[in-house]
Amino acid sequence: DGMNGPTGLDGAGDGVVDGNGLQIEHQPLQEELDAAEEAGYLAASDGKPQSDCPVMAGALCIAWVKGWKQWHEDQQPE
């Protein structure tokens, strides 16, 4: 698609393009992962379904779901 395509320099893409034209996915920082996990935990505690996970990068979504599941596990009687 050229430089102005979906992953070009016009800001339309959500990744960085390397010298070979391949898109590089942003790797979130640990603090971003922790925040996403906490947000999922809080969402579950508010009674929200797992399907309420916001649209975000794959690793952040996984962390959000991990937090959501952790809250549910914490609610199980021992």
Side-chain angles (χ1 to χ4, degrees), residues 7-73:
T7 59
L9 298 176
D10 62 357
D14 59 354
V16 175
V17 179
D18 73 5
N20 296 318
L22 300 174
Q23 187 169 349
I24 301 170
E25 185 176 339
H26 164 73
Q27 295 300 313
L29 301 173
Q30 187 60 49
E31 63 191 29
E32 294 172 305
L33 293 168
D34 293 344
E37 188 172 341
E38 182 177 353
Y41 192 93
L42 292 173
S45 71
D46 287 342
K48 295 182 180 178
Q50 185 176 340
S51 61
D52 273 11
C53 179
V55 175
M56 58 184 133
L60 294 173
C61 185
I62 290 169
W64 191 96
V65 171
K66 183 179 174 183
W68 187 90
K69 288 183 176 184
Q70 184 62 52
W71 183 87
H72 287 280
E73 288 176 16

